[in-house]
């Protein structure tokens, strides 16, 4: 029952995060502005992480530093390539390609950490991929599909997926090795993300100031998004090593997508089509297969 309750809170936080992220980034859409938001977002998360339990003093050691720093580095690089892909190609397809990052920790477990999969679990992963494609075709406007598909866009989108996947692999490995130090991991990730994105902001401030917009509503929405992200990240990491990776990471991805769809429909008035609803049914079947050991 506790797990179900936390998963419900996870979905609620994903919904809040979606709406506040959308509001925070309303306005200019360029690399400088997105890096400004990334820096602000990481700073807010780093400050707010102290408000979450447990309230014991955080403990840092060199052996627990490498993975969160790698995560923060991969996250910033992922943001750069994803924004560049969205600027020259369809946003919907860029987003859905990034949704395949749960496959990375699953594959890493198979090749490096001795995980095993049955044929029905492989079938579940195939259904999971099909569900993501259905979510994509049913959750976004057709206007984006009119943008040209170029090799450059494909390269940027795939690089964004790769670095996003590498980041999730770092999270899974950290939870396997140091499961009791969640806040330390998230804090170091936030610091790394803020430090690495800051040079972009400083450069834009002196050379391209007209590309930057920082308003009180943006700061407020960023704080809301950061708080929701912190809570959902803590919940995500609590159980990352407690379940089979082939089941857990697709599960959390589907719950996140479902929360995004519902919140977009309710608060942002975006239409959810029959294909998207079919995607929910297919993802349920995929998770059922992945859960069978």
């Amino acid at each position: 029952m506790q797990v179900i309750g936390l998963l419900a809170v996870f979905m609620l936080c994903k919904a809040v995060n979606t709406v506040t992220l959308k509001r925070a980034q309303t306005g200019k859409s360029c690399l400088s502005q997105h890096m400004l938001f990334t820096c602000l977002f990481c700073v807010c998360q780093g400050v707010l992480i102290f408000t979450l339990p447990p309230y014991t003093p955080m403990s840092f050691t060199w052996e627990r530093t490498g993975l969160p720093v790698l995560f923060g580095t991969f996250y910033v690089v992922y943001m750069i390539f994803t924004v560049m892909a969205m600027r020259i190609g369809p946003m919907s397809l860029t987003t859905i390609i990034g949704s395949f990052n749960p496959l990375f920790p699953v594959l890493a477990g198979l090749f490096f950490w001795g995980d095993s999969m049955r044929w029905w679990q492989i079938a579940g992963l195939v259904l999971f991929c099909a569900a993501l494609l259905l979510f994509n075709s049913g959750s976004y406007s057709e206007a984006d599909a009119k943008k040209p598909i170029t090799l450059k866009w494909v390269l940027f989108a795939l690089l964004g997926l790769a670095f996003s996947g590498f980041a999730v692999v770092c999270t899974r490995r950290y939870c396997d090795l140091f499961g009791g130090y969640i806040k330390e991991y998230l804090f170091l990730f936030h610091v790394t993300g803020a430090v690495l994105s800051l040079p972009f902001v400083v450069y834009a401030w002196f050379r391209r100031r007209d590309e930057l917009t920082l308003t009180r509503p943006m700061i407020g929405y960023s704080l809301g998004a950061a708080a929701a992200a912190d809570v959902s990240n803590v919940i995500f990491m609590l159980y990352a090593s407690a379940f089979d990776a082939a089941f857990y990471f697709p599960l959390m991805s589907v719950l996140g997508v479902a929360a995004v769809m519902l919140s977009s429909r309710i608060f942002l008035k975006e239409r959810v089509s029959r294909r998207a609803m079919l995607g929910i049914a297919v993802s349920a079947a995929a998770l059922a297969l992945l859960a069978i050991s």
Side-chain angles (χ1 to χ4, degrees):
M1 186 61 68
Q2 180 184 11
V3 175
I4 294 176
L6 287 175
L7 291 180
V9 174
F10 174 83
M11 292 186 67
L12 175 62
C13 289
K14 283 294 184 182
V16 172
N17 182 256
T18 298
V19 175
T20 49
L21 280 177
K22 181 76 172 181
R23 303 300 189 198
Q25 298 193 80
T26 300
K28 297 179 181 178
S29 180
C30 61
L31 180 59
S32 299
Q33 181 67 19
H34 281 288
M35 296 311 295
L36 172 62
F37 171 76
T38 299
C39 185
L40 177 63
F41 187 52
C42 288
V43 169
C44 291
Q45 284 182 289
V47 172
L48 292 173
I49 195 67
F50 289 97
T51 66
L52 299 177
Y55 298 111
T56 55
M58 288 192 288
S59 171
F60 298 96
T61 62
W62 283 111
E63 65 178 355
R64 296 199 306 269
T65 300
L67 287 170
V69 170
L70 276 177
F71 182 96
T73 303
F74 291 149
Y75 176 79
V76 172
V77 177
Y78 148 75
M79 283 292 296
I80 293 173
F81 281 122
T82 299
V83 169
M84 293 173 69
M86 288 181 175
R87 292 175 66 187
I88 64 174
M91 184 176 68
S92 59
L93 291 180
T94 303
T95 303
I96 205 62
I97 286 175
S99 299
F100 283 88
N101 63 17
L103 298 179
F104 280 70
V106 174
L107 294 175
L110 288 174
F111 288 109
F112 302 111
W113 302 321
D115 293 351
S116 61
M117 292 185 65
R118 311 284 186 175
W119 67 265
W120 55 82
Q121 291 178 311
I122 296 175
L125 283 179
V126 173
L127 282 180
F128 166 67
C129 295
L132 290 179
L133 293 173
L134 286 169
F135 284 139
N136 174 65
S137 62
S139 302
Y140 297 91
S141 64
E142 294 297 320
D144 290 331
K146 296 179 181 179
K147 292 184 178 180
I149 302 299
T150 64
L151 182 60
K152 188 176 182 180
W153 169 79
V154 172
L155 177 62
F156 287 157
L158 291 179
L159 284 172
L161 167 63
F163 282 98
S164 174
F166 295 155
V168 181
V169 170
C170 290
T171 299
R172 188 225 162 152
R173 191 56 178 165
Y174 184 91
C175 290
D176 288 342
L177 297 174
F178 315 109
Y181 299 93
I182 295 175
K183 290 181 67 173
E184 287 84 348
Y185 178 87
L186 293 175
F187 179 75
L188 287 175
F189 149 57
H190 302 329
V191 171
T192 303
V195 169
L196 292 181
S197 57
L198 184 60
F200 291 89
V201 178
V202 173
Y203 173 80
W205 180 258
F206 286 104
R207 294 297 183 89
R208 299 179 179 179
R209 190 174 302 184
D210 59 316
E211 294 185 357
L212 298 179
T213 299
L214 183 62
T215 62
R216 289 183 179 179
M218 177 184 172
I219 295 174
Y221 284 125
S222 296
L223 281 170
D230 271 339
V231 175
S232 62
N233 285 338
V234 168
I235 294 174
F236 181 89
M237 292 186 67
L238 277 174
Y239 298 102
S241 59
F243 296 94
D244 184 17
F247 168 72
Y248 182 75
F249 287 91
L251 167 66
M252 301 305 277
S253 178
V254 168
L255 290 179
V257 170
V260 169
M261 288 173 53
L262 291 174
S263 60
S264 297
R265 178 69 181 91
I266 295 172
F267 298 104
L268 302 179
K269 307 304 180 183
E270 293 182 358
R271 181 178 59 87
V272 179
S273 72
R274 293 179 180 177
R275 288 188 179 183
M277 299 304 295
L278 179 60
I280 295 177
V282 172
S283 63
L287 293 172
L289 289 173
L290 290 168
I292 300 174
S293 59

